[in-house]
Amino acid sequence: MRDALQHQLDRLQTLLVEEAALVREALAATMQALTDTDLQLAAKVIDGDDRIDLRFMQVQQGVESLLARQGPVANDLRLVLAMLHVNTHLERMGDYCVTIAKLTQLTSRLEGDEEIVRGFAEMAVQAELMISTAIEAFVTQDIAASESLVQLDDAINQANRRVVHDLLALGTTPDHREWGLRMILVSRCLERIGDHAVDVGEQVAYLVTGEFREFTDASGEPVTLD
Amino acid sequence: MAAGELRPEAAVEVRELAAFFGSRQVLRDISFEMPRHSVTAIIGPSGSGKSTLIRTINRMHEVVPGARHTGSVLVDGADVYGEGVDPVDVRRRVGMVFQRPNPFPTMSIYDNVAAGLRLNGIRGPKAQLDQIVEESLQGAGLWREVKDRLATSAANLSGGQQQRLCIARAIALEPDVLLMDEPASALDPQSTLRIEDLMVQLKEQYTIVIVTHNMQQAARVADFTAFMTTLEEGAPADLVEFDRTDAIFTNPARTETQDYVTGRFG
């Protein structure tokens, strides 16, 4: 029953999975470019964002058509609404990868700190894991997996706080200050990617339970259901 | 949702209702409340006893030979099957509109509206009758279209107009409750939307209970929705879920409801 609706839902889900895979690739590449100061690779990440944006547009248009023509209700409706949010979160993650690539270009002539960059690489590995966990939890509608994103995000948040401290200790030459300022943005981008992954997890919980809730409050403390 | 969270004022209350045609039971253990000044939609597949349910509310079920019921139906707190209650009086207080518009074809538009009053023995000066006819036609959103041809035959009206005429005939009696059995299923989309708009207006004064196969219609107009179906092959129909309409169409509690509203049953 409702083959057309099911077909369209499946197609949208496939597009989101592809979009998430592209975001993961972009994240890995942009970190590689930063670590190796590889400007060609950084440029490739920037160009490659079009592929993410294309999926974003396809999902957006697909949802628009589906709402207009299929009139989804109940769990179908929640799935479509959640897809809209997940789509936006993935697209934003892609944008953060682009920002990191641009920061790599801007800092290529400056001397940086290998230790700090290694810290970013570790944050990025964690963020990649979060992207995979989030999209898998979405596809399998696994609330427990989606809730595990909060713990994964904690590690990124802690690393982000350490980076500021390390950058301040780096030195006060103009080059150090510029590199440090730009690297604070890199850290911020990675931290935001983690936040968006948690937001995808919240959509999983909404999809399954029908109730939207934030996993953490503004202070970062877990929100418990009363 | 617990019953206590619903609007407390129930216009119609059905308690442990079961209905039968001869030895065949078609409804079992139906209990719920239809809140005052709201639209309650009853949805469910064909043969799930939706029409039978609303026909027990105005005692039209018992008109079918061999038909009977157990349990009780309260309108404004009073049992419509109580001792000494006249079924004709119940049907005056609980009006009904049917799937096919059924105006009296040989009568004028005016007489169609007045017919309900006359049949119920309500007589009064012509001026008073004129006023009731006008108010009823206005209430049914038909006055402007017919005010200059009240004496012409009702048979000349379009299907949508005829259905609104039947609504005018029903509300002329100032019922407490208006039952509508698939009131728009024989109408074109535009006439359907007019009837839907009308339901939303009429609930200010009446309590409306509608049976519909059109789930989007229930989603559009109903404040509350009851889903009925037969849970086992050959068994009588059950009330599976009753809740606010937005809950039924966004997050139904029962899998059977979800399968039905998403079109995935069977």
Side-chain angles (χ1 to χ4, degrees), chain A residues 181-201:
Chain A
L181 277 172
R182 301 218 189 269
M183 287 306 118
I184 280 193
L185 292 178
V186 169
S187 187
R188 165 80 178 156
C189 287
L190 293 170
E191 189 262 333
R192 289 298 295 148
I193 289 174
D195 290 346
H196 281 286
V198 173
D199 289 344
V200 170

Side-chain angles (χ1 to χ4, degrees), chain A residues 39-56:
Chain A
L39 297 184
Q40 256 185 323
L41 188 54
K44 219 175 131 189
V45 171
I46 295 165
D47 289 345
D49 193 48
D50 286 348
R51 292 201 295 161
I52 295 171
D53 289 347
L54 177 66
R55 300 301 188 290
F56 172 81

Side-chain angles (χ1 to χ4, degrees), chain B residues 4-25:
Chain B
E5 289 171 47
L6 298 177
R7 284 220 270 175
E9 258 202 296
V12 182
E13 192 178 343
V14 171
R15 289 184 188 160
E16 294 168 8
L17 183 81
F20 306 80
F21 288 108
S23 61
R24 189 165 67 90
Q25 186 175 358

Side-chain angles (χ1 to χ4, degrees), chain B residues 166-231:
Chain B
C166 293
I167 291 171
R169 187 172 65 194
I171 63 179
L173 293 166
E174 295 185 343
D176 299 318
V177 179
L178 202 52
L179 307 174
M180 297 181 154
D181 193 351
E182 295 272 356
S185 64
L187 304 181
D188 65 82
Q190 209 150 18
S191 303
T192 297
L193 291 175
R194 287 207 65 161
I195 298 285
E196 290 180 6
D197 286 347
L198 194 53
M199 282 187 237
V200 175
Q201 286 165 26
L202 289 172
K203 75 175 178 183
E204 299 297 324
Q205 289 180 68
Y206 312 100
T207 298
I208 297 177
V209 183
I210 171 180
V211 164
T212 181
H213 274 119
N214 181 338
M215 274 183 287
Q216 288 306 316
Q217 182 167 72
R220 284 192 295 264
V221 303
D223 302 291
F224 298 88
T225 296
F227 170 58
M228 297 177 64
T229 196
T230 319
L231 291 172

